[in-house]
Amino acid sequence: AQSVTQPDIHITVSEGASLELRCNYSYGATPYLFWYVQSPGQGLQLLLKYFSGDTLVQGIKGFEAEFKRSQSSFNLRKPSVHWSDAAEYFCAVGGTGNQFYFGTGTSLTVIP
Amino acid sequence: EAGVAQSPRYKIIEKRQSVAFWCNPISGHATLYWYQQILGQGPKLLIQFQNNGVVDDSQLPKDRFSAERLKGVDSTLKIQPAKLEDSAVYLCASGQLRAGGRGELFFGEGSRLTVL
């Protein structure tokens, strides 16, 4: 069965510091992978997606993620965090039948 | 392009009462999803429609939840009777997807339900 694990419930970083959010997935075939961001009281917004090809994908707002098949991971990174990046981040995997499975999320706090 | 519209944004009811949420997907999107997001958790799929047919409702508590998508456009999610544990944000998402999840989901802002 498909599943997504985000090991870090909450992360705090200083503004300007680098960021890495972890995501591990379980899926039988080549997965389609996504990162979404959710600000308080808002819906989810797509940051980036991986379908195939280059394993390093670029997204909006300066985010990138790297697909590592051997580690079943799709970690999200940003070289320099801004205060406006404080939000909840969700990793998701798309499977057969157009079903999407989400992780439990990582809450990001940015310290000025 | 207009996004996914949901209403109401907020609803407070007492347990055993009923409530209905409405979703208008992005025009042309064949696939529509309802997710339940409990505070501190990730979205959990309740039901998936392809046009006006149900693709997956395996996690929908059918004794109290129902959903329909008449004419393959708007959708309504109903809860009757509500329980305390139904307090959550109900997210609607739509997409024009190819097989196997190759596409993107667009989410509405959600409907926050509080059951007292």
Side-chain angles (χ1 to χ4, degrees), chain A residues 32 34 41-42 95 97-99, chain B residues 9 33 48 56 98 100-101 103 109:
Chain A
Y32 299 143
F34 308 82
Q42 301 297 312
N98 288 334
Q99 294 163 341
Chain B
R9 288 294 312 278
Y33 306 77
Q48 175 188 348
D56 183 1
R98 285 183 275 172
E109 293 185 315

Side-chain angles (χ1 to χ4, degrees), chain B residues 85-96:
Chain B
E85 59 260 37
D86 298 331
S87 294
V89 176
Y90 292 86
L91 294 166
C92 179
S94 71
Q96 190 66 290

Side-chain angles (χ1 to χ4, degrees), chain A residues 37-64:
Chain A
V37 60
Q38 185 179 36
S39 297
Q42 301 297 312
L44 279 70
Q45 180 187 19
L46 182 71
L47 284 176
L48 48 78
K49 58 194 175 190
Y50 170 78
F51 292 153
S52 64
D54 192 346
T55 56
L56 184 63
V57 294
Q58 302 296 321
I60 63 171
K61 305 183 181 184
F63 285 92
E64 66 178 27

Side-chain angles (χ1 to χ4, degrees), chain A residues 9 27 30-34 36 38 40-46 49 51-52 88 90 93-105, chain B residues 9-10 31 33 35 37 40-45 48 50 55-56 59 89 91 97-110 112:
Chain A
I9 296 173
Y27 188 66
T30 300
Y32 299 143
L33 296 161
F34 308 82
Y36 285 85
Q38 185 179 36
Q42 301 297 312
L44 279 70
Q45 180 187 19
L46 182 71
K49 58 194 175 190
F51 292 153
S52 64
E88 189 87 17
F90 293 95
V93 61
T96 55
N98 288 334
Q99 294 163 341
F100 292 79
Y101 301 89
F102 288 82
T104 51
Chain B
R9 288 294 312 278
Y10 305 93
T31 311
Y33 306 77
Y35 285 89
Q37 186 178 23
Q41 299 181 18
K44 171 191 151 186
L45 178 67
Q48 175 188 348
Q50 180 73 18
V55 174
D56 183 1
Q59 298 191 81
V89 176
L91 294 166
L97 306 172
R98 285 183 275 172
R102 190 180 182 98
E104 176 183 344
L105 291 189
F106 294 84
F107 283 84
E109 293 185 315
R112 180 179 296 277

Side-chain angles (χ1 to χ4, degrees), chain B residues 14-34:
Chain B
E14 296 191 349
K15 59 183 179 182
R16 291 188 289 274
Q17 287 187 322
S18 64
V19 62
F21 301 113
W22 173 82
C23 172
N24 180 236
I26 293 173
S27 177
H29 282 187
T31 311
L32 184 147
Y33 306 77
W34 283 102

